[in-house]
Amino acid sequence: MKIEVAEFAGFCFGVKRAMDMAWKELENAKENIYSLGQLIHNTQAVGKYKEKGLKVIDAVEGKISGSIIIRSHGVSLDVYNALKEQNVSIVDATCPFVKKIQDIVYKSFSEGKAIVIVGNPKHPEVIGINGWCKNSAKIVKTIDDIESYSWDDSEYSVVAQTTMNIDQYEHIKKKLTATVDHIEFHNTICLATKERQDASKILSKKAQAMIVIGGYHSSNTQKLTEICSQNCPTFHVETKEELDMSLISSYSHLGITAGASTPDWIITEVVEYIQENSK
Ligand code: F3S
């Protein structure tokens, strides 16, 4: 059986950086190490970090001490300020691409512009970005959302959630341009998502079947499954234990891809398991 891993699969630059920073912190730990929210949507990786001593908290309540890791999604200005009041050292693992969006929003807002975020209002990255303009942003997830807001003569500055779908963003941009007089756009979509989606699409057209590895709650993994299943039979698994070898062994060319929160060691385990069990 030929097993081929997609050209871009697994951790993106920002997630890898955050996970490495957190691990380094845990290795040198003398005190409590917290993360504000789950570092990533991957049960196995989160489990490994918890075993090493990471304490995951959803919010800072009461007094804490030690180190606190800000994950790649970033946080609002208020959260930064609240952390500075604590007896903690802040390990800021905000992805530099997300930091750039926060900086654009903060600067534009300080210049008196109104902020528009194209993205999912419930996503932590968007919630964090909105916190750099005092939660004043108009958040547009779908084209229909544009009509639900009233638009005035203000100057508008638009940013996008890093994982936003490019085609959807372009549609929204077109409609906003037609709706609002003074508007500037900052295309802040990160290419890592597109690279993973394109690579999965290409491979799923060549392979007889695809295995998509990643957390069941990870939206980018679900998206990869959706893309691949348009081209060939596709199996979404979290770990090697979930592979149904009686099904998989019947294919002679298997493609593998993985969501942006899947560590390399899980991808390697899956590949090795298939190699060993498909002989
Ligand atoms: Fe950063 Fe892009 Fe990943 S914004 S966290 S490198 S998807």
Side-chain angles (χ1 to χ4, degrees):
M1 177 194 284
K2 181 180 172 186
I3 302 171
E4 199 176 341
V5 179
E7 187 185 357
F8 297 100
F11 277 179
C12 61
F13 151 78
V15 168
K16 182 169 186 337
R17 177 176 171 273
M19 296 303 278
D20 288 349
M21 284 170 82
W23 194 255
K24 205 167 140 201
E25 204 61 27
L26 288 165
E27 291 212 297
N28 301 323
K30 287 184 199 76
E31 286 183 288
N32 292 321
I33 315 272
Y34 298 94
S35 83
L36 203 47
Q38 297 281 17
L39 284 176
I40 50 172
H41 271 143
N42 185 286
T43 316
Q44 294 70 33
V46 168
K48 200 168 157 185
Y49 278 65
K50 277 189 182 162
E51 259 172 45
K52 187 93 179 159
L54 184 69
K55 296 179 170 52
V56 180
I57 52 172
D58 289 329
V60 178
E61 277 157 16
K63 286 279 168 202
I64 58 168
S65 63
S67 302
I68 190 152
I69 298 155
I70 296 176
R71 58 191 175 168
S72 59
H73 297 317
V75 293
S76 68
L77 182 58
D78 282 352
V79 172
Y80 267 111
N81 290 337
L83 290 178
K84 282 182 195 153
E85 309 265 291
Q86 294 278 345
N87 184 24
V88 285
S89 65
I90 302 171
V91 181
D92 188 357
T94 307
C95 174
F97 300 138
V98 176
K99 189 75 214 137
K100 189 178 141 206
I101 306 177
Q102 295 174 346
D103 291 345
I104 293 171
V105 166
Y106 186 69
K107 184 166 177 283
S108 300
F109 186 68
S110 312
E111 290 167 356
K113 293 174 186 163
I115 307 298
V116 180
I117 306 170
V118 181
N120 177 358
K122 294 195 180 129
H123 194 284
E125 178 191 318
V126 173
I127 295 169
I129 293 169
N130 197 14
W132 289 83
C133 58
K134 300 207 161 94
N135 299 315
S136 65
K138 290 180 165 46
I139 303 177
V140 176
K141 187 182 175 194
T142 66
I143 211 149
D144 295 337
D145 292 338
I146 298 174
E147 277 161 23
S148 68
Y149 289 113
S150 58
W151 302 87
D152 58 22
D153 276 350
S154 307
E155 279 190 46
Y156 289 92
S157 184
V158 185
V159 294
Q161 183 182 338
T162 53
T163 47
M164 185 73 201
N165 173 287
I166 293 174
D167 293 340
Q168 211 179 336
Y169 172 76
E170 288 299 334
H171 277 124
I172 290 172
K173 181 177 175 182
K174 213 167 155 190
K175 175 102 192 241
L176 279 172
T177 308
T179 311
V180 183
D181 288 338
H182 311 287
I183 191 155
E184 64 184 27
F185 292 90
H186 303 270
N187 184 351
T188 50
I189 295 174
C190 170
L191 284 182
T193 311
K194 189 174 179 330
E195 281 170 351
R196 269 147 196 74
Q197 291 180 358
D198 288 351
S200 301
K201 193 172 181 178
I202 291 168
L203 186 54
S204 63
K205 283 185 178 167
K206 288 197 294 177
Q208 285 183 327
M210 288 291 294
I211 309 283
V212 181
I213 315 163
Y216 291 122
H217 298 297
S218 151
S219 58
N220 76 82
T221 307
Q222 287 164 4
K223 184 73 194 164
L224 293 179
T225 308
E226 195 185 307
I227 290 171
C228 294
S229 56
Q230 283 163 6
N231 300 315
C232 66
T234 300
F235 307 95
H236 177 182
V237 296
E238 277 195 355
T239 61
K240 64 177 194 303
E241 283 77 19
E242 292 163 16
L243 292 164
D244 182 347
M245 286 312 296
S246 61
L247 269 177
I248 292 163
S249 303
S250 60
Y251 300 105
S252 58
H253 184 187
L254 200 60
I256 310 254
T257 188
S261 45
T262 306
D264 284 352
W265 58 268
I266 294 189
I267 304 177
T268 307
E269 268 185 10
V270 168
V271 172
E272 287 175 357
Y273 185 86
I274 298 171
Q275 277 167 341
E276 280 161 22
N277 291 280
S278 61
K279 285 167 194 157

